[in-house]
Amino acid sequence: MNKMESHRCSSLFLLLFLSILFVGAFASEHIIGSTSLTTRTILQAKKACPVNFEVANYTIITSKCKGPKYTANLCCSALAEFACPYAKYLNDLTNNCASTMFTYINLYGKYPPGLFSTLCKGKGRKGGLQCPKAN
């Protein structure tokens, strides 16, 4: 084998090695990326809320919880009065009821972001709202 054939053989070997390395890295990244993307999608997927909060009557909240100086007693009691009938759905972390409800409360009441989470934090047991037990 002369010097030219040796150089050609080395070049082919290097090209083959780099190709295998590149394909292996791409395949593992694709598999890892695909798995984490699928896992993330599964973890974030939530069921639709069975309550239609779009057409709910929010006047119990909007008539009592008024700004510019929002009071915890009025706002939190109004929120509890509105939300407690839906507690079964709002406490189910597999659906999007809580986020949907707060989206509409903030839309109809034009409340500042985070108002209820700030005012009503710790007003009930385990940091949630106090709801009377259903019979």
Side-chain angles (χ1 to χ4, degrees):
M1 186 168 9
N2 66 25
K3 192 172 187 175
M4 184 65 137
E5 289 174 339
S6 174
H7 182 66
R8 194 177 299 156
C9 187
S10 295
S11 296
L12 283 172
F13 177 78
L14 182 61
L15 184 62
L16 180 63
F17 176 76
L18 290 174
S19 298
I20 291 171
L21 188 64
F22 175 77
V23 169
F26 177 78
S28 67
E29 178 64 24
H30 182 71
I31 291 169
I32 291 169
S34 171
T35 304
S36 64
L37 191 60
T38 304
T39 305
R40 177 178 284 166
T41 303
I42 290 171
L43 291 175
Q44 291 177 344
K46 292 195 175 212
K47 298 182 292 191
C49 183
V51 178
N52 187 357
F53 283 110
E54 184 178 5
V55 297
N57 184 355
Y58 294 94
T59 55
I60 191 66
I61 298 174
T62 58
S63 66
K64 293 180 179 180
C65 185
K66 296 183 179 198
K69 188 173 180 174
Y70 301 100
T71 62
N73 287 343
L74 290 175
C75 291
C76 298
S77 64
L79 177 64
E81 193 173 337
F82 174 81
C84 284
Y86 309 110
K88 171 184 168 184
Y89 304 108
L90 295 170
N91 290 328
D92 182 355
L93 299 179
T94 65
N95 68 40
N96 64 356
C97 287
S99 62
T100 302
M101 180 191 74
F102 279 109
T103 297
Y104 284 110
I105 287 173
N106 289 327
L107 176 69
Y108 292 125
K110 297 177 178 53
Y111 296 110
L115 173 73
F116 292 98
S117 62
T118 304
L119 287 179
C120 305
K121 187 175 185 165
K123 296 291 179 198
R125 57 187 162 80
K126 295 183 185 175
L129 289 173
Q130 187 76 35
C131 290
K133 295 189 185 221
N135 293 331

